Amino acid sequence: MHAIEQIYRNEAAQVRATLIRLLGSFELAEEAVQMAFLAAAAQWPREGVPANPRSWLVSAGRFRTIDMLRRRARFRELEPEITRMMEEDDEGPPDPDLVQDDILRLIFTCCHPALPPDQQTALCLHEVCGLTTEAIAAAFMTRAPTIAQRIVRAKGRIKALSLPYEVPAKSEMDARLDTVLRVIYLVFSEGYAAGGGKDILRAELCEEAIRLARLLAEHLSNPDIDGLLGLMLLQHARRAGRLDVEGNLTPLDEQDRSLWNAGEIAEGSGLVQSAIRHPPFSTYTLQGAIAAEHGATIDGRSTDWNAIVRWYDLLEIADPGPISELNRAIAIGMRDGPDTGLALADALMARSDLVAYRYAHLTRADFLRRLDRRAEARSAYLDALALTHSPAEKRFVERRLEALGI
């Protein structure tokens, strides 16, 4: 059963994306994925996991759906076109001018300009990442019913407009590129710091996002793609240092940097440097420049906070908003002292909606802890704990509370 669970984590998104293409329906594909994994749970323990489980699951889901529709057709008229579409050989010769990847097809379809941006993002996170509406709502600080409504409307619009399930030609990619890059980074972010579930780090999602960005870079020369790919490589390079042997989070300034992946840091830094030669800079390039500064140091004490604050100054111009301001406040606090950082964070929270953002409370708590204002730090950690759903993050906050000794 463990093997099936692992395969579900690794393969469900690709299987779902391929079945959406084959069946031409989000709803049928979701049913097909469930039927395929139920069949696997019944068959694989007896016969073993097949050599190519993804192909097996796609085939099982597809043909069980055909059987299901045929049974339904005995009782009511069914669109014959649906069955014909599923039974025909859909794999035509590859077009060298198109990217042949079902996940990428799915992302480009979900990011079609006919859909409002908030529907595009919600649909991608649901279909590509497999996130629940509750997890998406938490990420966007909104309500789950609102997210569910966006997803339903997006699917309905794709069906009503018969939007093609395809990666567009290169000449049409630019119009959707910003949204596609944003979705790829959201996939990565969900893997880098999962908002729910038992694991804080989901490496398979990070690797999938990096794979998609590499695929895009192979087909489209664009500094924003380089900036995003560089940023993700630089962040992913830290994975071995982010958790201790018990799976607990280790803060960036306390991580053993000898555990970081030097090859990914070198490749990521090179991509970011390449992107910097082509202004105006995207937010990914600027965040990548900050990650490269961290990657260039041998420990937390030697971090060049002056350089990092300068990059945050540019980032705040390129991507103004409370989260950018909070991150800049952290960098300034690391450079100028916790009292300065705390004053900036307090002012920001007084005029924004960050009271529902757990990292804002963690930021305040950390500055207060460094100032030895332990009672106030305890209150801020408790506020953060109340907003935290990840078990690993909960353990981190609880350890901080315990260390306060009050």
Side-chain angles (χ1 to χ4, degrees):
M1 185 60 74
H2 177 72
I4 296 176
E5 290 175 357
Q6 189 62 44
I7 289 169
Y8 183 86
R9 285 167 60 94
N10 294 340
E11 302 288 352
Q14 185 74 51
V15 171
R16 183 185 302 109
T18 300
L19 286 168
I20 291 172
R21 172 171 59 82
L22 294 173
L23 303 175
S25 162
F26 284 90
E27 289 76 15
L28 282 178
E30 191 56 48
E31 282 189 80
V33 170
Q34 293 176 17
M35 288 190 288
F37 276 97
L38 282 173
Q43 188 169 331
W44 292 0
R46 297 193 313 269
E47 302 178 9
V49 177
N52 188 335
R54 180 189 300 173
S55 177
W56 190 98
L57 289 163
V58 168
S59 180
R62 182 184 187 192
F63 288 109
R64 278 167 174 74
T65 302
I66 291 172
D67 289 342
M68 178 188 74
L69 291 176
R70 282 174 174 159
R71 287 196 301 273
R72 289 180 184 175
R74 293 174 185 170
F75 302 97
R76 61 183 172 81
E77 188 173 343
L78 189 68
E79 288 277 343
E81 179 64 14
I82 295 176
T83 304
R84 185 201 63 75
M85 180 179 61
M86 290 188 299
E87 290 177 327
E88 69 183 2
D89 183 8
D90 57 286
E91 288 289 347
D95 182 342
D97 200 39
L98 297 179
V99 182
Q100 301 298 316
D101 184 278
D102 281 327
I103 288 285
L104 212 52
R105 280 195 185 97
L106 179 56
I107 292 175
F108 269 101
T109 302
C110 294
C111 295
H112 196 284
L115 302 180
D118 58 352
Q119 292 183 14
Q120 295 173 356
T121 306
L123 186 60
C124 279
L125 289 176
H126 190 262
E127 298 300 324
V128 179
C129 300
L131 297 188
T132 63
T133 53
E134 289 78 10
I136 301 170
F140 287 95
M141 294 186 283
T142 186
R143 297 169 58 249
T146 302
I147 295 297
Q149 194 175 52
R150 289 176 189 171
I151 293 169
V152 169
R153 286 178 176 171
K155 289 179 179 177
R157 196 161 180 81
I158 289 173
K159 185 175 182 180
L161 297 176
S162 300
L163 298 182
Y165 182 71
E166 63 183 17
V167 174
K170 288 179 182 177
S171 59
E172 299 176 16
M173 279 186 176
D174 279 346
R176 300 187 216 178
L177 189 60
D178 285 350
T179 311
V180 169
L181 294 183
R182 182 157 57 99
V183 166
I184 290 176
Y185 191 49
L186 285 170
V187 173
F188 179 85
S189 299
E190 179 58 24
Y192 187 76
K198 63 180 181 180
D199 300 325
I200 186 68
L201 175 65
R202 294 184 60 187
E204 77 279 5
L205 279 181
C206 294
E207 289 161 3
E208 175 65 5
I210 290 170
R211 185 188 71 83
L212 290 168
R214 286 193 192 281
L215 203 55
L216 266 183
E218 289 173 6
H219 290 77
L220 195 64
S221 176
N222 185 295
D224 293 354
I225 300 174
D226 290 343
L228 174 61
L229 180 55
L231 167 63
M232 294 191 296
L233 285 167
L234 285 158
Q235 293 183 328
H236 193 49
R238 304 174 193 159
R239 59 192 176 280
R242 291 182 61 219
L243 303 177
D244 64 18
V245 292
E246 296 175 342
N248 297 315
L249 277 173
T250 303
L252 179 61
D253 59 344
E254 299 175 14
Q255 291 177 19
D256 178 356
R257 301 189 180 198
S258 68
L259 298 175
W260 291 5
N261 187 306
E264 289 176 341
I265 289 173
E267 183 185 1
S269 297
L271 286 163
V272 170
Q273 286 302 316
S274 173
I276 285 173
R277 288 194 287 272
H278 301 280
F281 310 136
S282 71
T283 59
Y284 309 116
T285 299
L286 294 170
Q287 292 178 72
I290 293 166
E293 292 288 350
H294 288 298
T297 58
I298 58 172
D299 57 46
R301 294 186 300 276
S302 54
T303 303
D304 185 349
W305 288 107
N306 271 320
I308 289 177
V309 169
R310 286 196 295 273
W311 286 119
Y312 271 120
D313 289 342
L314 293 174
L315 184 59
E316 195 172 324
I317 296 170
D319 184 28
I323 294 178
S324 293
E325 287 186 71
L326 180 67
N327 290 329
R328 180 173 173 272
I330 294 171
I332 291 175
M334 296 301 292
R335 183 190 67 181
D336 298 343
D339 49 351
T340 303
L342 179 63
L344 289 171
D346 280 345
L348 177 60
M349 290 186 73
R351 62 178 172 78
S352 71
D353 57 0
L354 288 181
V355 288
Y357 187 55
R358 64 187 186 280
Y359 293 125
H361 295 285
L362 274 178
T363 298
R364 288 194 72 252
D366 189 61
F367 284 139
L368 289 163
R369 177 181 64 83
R370 290 168 188 260
L371 292 166
D372 201 30
R373 291 162 59 176
R374 288 182 290 171
E376 294 167 271
R378 181 176 186 276
S379 176
Y381 278 128
L382 289 174
D383 287 339
L385 192 61
L387 295 168
T388 300
H389 302 290
S390 159
E393 286 189 359
K394 281 182 180 290
R395 290 197 301 274
F396 171 78
V397 178
E398 287 165 353
R399 289 206 315 279
R400 288 296 203 212
L401 280 165
E402 187 178 344
L404 290 175
I406 58 174

